[in-house]
């Protein structure tokens, strides 16, 4: 009898290590951001091919605005270039694109327009949903959800986890099953705090610009080997011996 492969529905990636990748090569940090583009596209295709239906990528946090302005400006230009370059392919492959965050007025207007155009182009696609967390902060999302809930005048004794979640941005997003954080660092970094509450985490040491489809599949394999109990003591009903 064959092993049932339990592919995670929602995978999220903290794309860490661009700066260290560049430093190892005596290059400016921005070279690491530029090299990261290939990893992004490889992971998107690997996720789609593996049957993952929701993929979230942490591209730029609310805290990243503290970085040198020159680095931030170049990063914004790189993101715009990548969107314009890859939008047709993403659409052809049936990927719906969303951007989580996007509230800071410092985001250049041309980039905002390109992002809006990409979301409009792909909004009816069904194969996979790609969420790019850009100008994102998990705490900010929770605070905004609380404000929205208060404005709705919902009585306090009627607030549940489910009703609260309805006020989060993109409330149809399922909980994250697997978080991959590259470079070996082991931090949450304010990423989708509500959605990762029961996620499995893996921390491959490879730096993000070197991360490829084979590494992604290794992380899926690690996920398959785990038993998810969600706080219970019962043995998992589905286990695997790895991806085949």
């Amino acid at each position: 009898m064959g092993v049932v492969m339990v592919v995670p529905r929602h995978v999220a990636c903290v794309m860490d290590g661009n700066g260290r990748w560049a430093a190892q090569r005596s290059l400016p940090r921005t070279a690491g951001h530029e090299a990261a583009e290939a990893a992004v596209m490889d992971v998107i295709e690997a996720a789609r091919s593996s049957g993952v239906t929701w993929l979230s990528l942490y591209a730029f946090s609310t805290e990243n605005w503290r970085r040198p302005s020159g680095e931030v400006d170049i990063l914004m230009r790189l993101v715009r270039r990548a969107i314009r370059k890859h939008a047709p392919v993403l659409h052809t492959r049936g990927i719906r694109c969303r951007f989580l965050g996007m509230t800071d007025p410092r985001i250049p207007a041309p980039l905002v327009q390109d992002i809006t155009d990409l979301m409009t182009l792909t909004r009816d696609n069904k194969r996979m949903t790609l969420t790019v967390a850009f100008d994102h902060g998990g705490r900010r999302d929770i605070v905004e959800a609380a404000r929205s809930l208060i404005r709705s005048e919902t009585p306090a004794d009627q607030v549940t986890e489910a009703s609260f979640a309805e006020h989060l941005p993109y409330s149809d997003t399922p909980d994250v099953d697997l978080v991959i954080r590259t470079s070996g660092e082991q931090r949450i970094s304010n990423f989708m705090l509500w959605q990762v509450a029961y996620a499995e985490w893996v921390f491959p040491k490879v730096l993000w610009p070197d991360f490829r489809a084979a590494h992604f599949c290794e992380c899926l394999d690690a996920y398959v080997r785990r038993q998810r109990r969600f706080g219970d003591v019962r043995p998992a009903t589905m286990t695997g011996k790895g991806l085949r």
Side-chain angles (χ1 to χ4, degrees):
M1 184 175 179
V3 175
V4 177
M5 184 177 70
V6 187
V7 176
R9 181 185 185 192
H10 186 178
V11 178
C13 298
V14 181
M15 305 182 293
D16 197 8
N18 294 351
R20 274 165 286 171
W21 183 93
Q24 288 176 0
R25 292 159 177 78
S26 300
L27 298 170
R29 286 176 54 85
T30 52
H33 299 317
E34 188 168 6
E37 180 182 331
V40 169
M41 297 309 299
D42 217 43
V43 165
I44 291 172
E45 180 56 26
R48 188 183 72 93
S49 299
S50 299
V52 173
T53 53
W54 294 77
L55 176 67
S56 297
L57 303 178
Y58 201 8
F60 191 85
S61 73
T62 51
E63 292 77 22
N64 287 155
W65 289 108
R66 302 170 187 167
R67 295 184 176 183
S69 59
E71 178 180 344
V72 171
D73 290 343
I74 292 174
L75 181 59
M76 296 291 169
R77 290 199 293 270
L78 290 173
V79 171
R80 188 180 185 209
R81 186 185 73 181
I83 289 173
R84 296 170 72 89
K85 176 181 178 182
H86 297 292
V89 173
L90 294 169
H91 182 47
T92 300
R93 291 177 178 171
I95 298 172
R96 177 176 60 167
C97 300
R98 292 175 165 181
F99 281 73
L100 177 64
M102 296 292 297
T103 64
D104 198 292
R106 288 172 289 184
I107 302 173
L111 175 55
V112 173
Q113 186 60 57
D114 285 340
I115 287 172
T116 302
D117 291 344
L118 176 62
M119 291 193 294
T120 301
L121 174 68
T122 63
R123 64 187 174 190
D124 296 325
N125 291 340
K126 307 293 186 183
R127 181 72 181 270
M128 186 176 79
T129 297
L130 170 66
T131 302
V132 180
F134 194 83
D135 180 38
H136 162 70
R139 285 184 173 181
R140 182 177 67 184
D141 283 354
I142 292 172
V143 169
E144 289 300 322
R147 289 173 175 168
S148 175
L149 194 63
I150 291 169
R151 286 192 292 268
S152 73
E153 299 183 349
T154 302
D157 58 0
Q158 294 182 20
V159 176
T160 64
E161 289 188 12
S163 65
F164 186 90
E166 290 175 357
H167 292 264
L168 291 166
Y170 298 130
S171 58
D172 60 332
T173 302
D175 285 349
V176 176
D177 298 302
L178 171 65
V179 182
I180 301 168
R181 180 167 188 147
T182 55
S183 85
E185 297 290 343
Q186 300 184 14
R187 298 187 301 275
I188 297 176
S189 295
N190 200 20
F191 179 47
M192 300 183 78
L193 296 179
W194 183 275
Q195 295 89 343
V196 304
Y198 274 101
E200 299 291 321
W201 288 73
V202 292
F203 302 100
K205 293 184 178 180
V206 61
L207 304 177
W208 179 259
D210 292 327
F211 196 76
R212 290 295 183 270
H215 300 109
F216 184 83
C217 290
E218 287 174 1
C219 294
L220 295 189
D221 188 73
Y223 173 87
V224 168
R225 294 171 184 274
R226 297 186 185 182
Q227 292 187 349
R228 306 185 74 200
R229 296 189 177 93
F230 300 96
D232 203 344
V233 295
R234 295 173 296 177
T237 56
M238 292 185 293
T239 61
K241 296 182 181 179
L243 300 182
R244 296 290 183 263

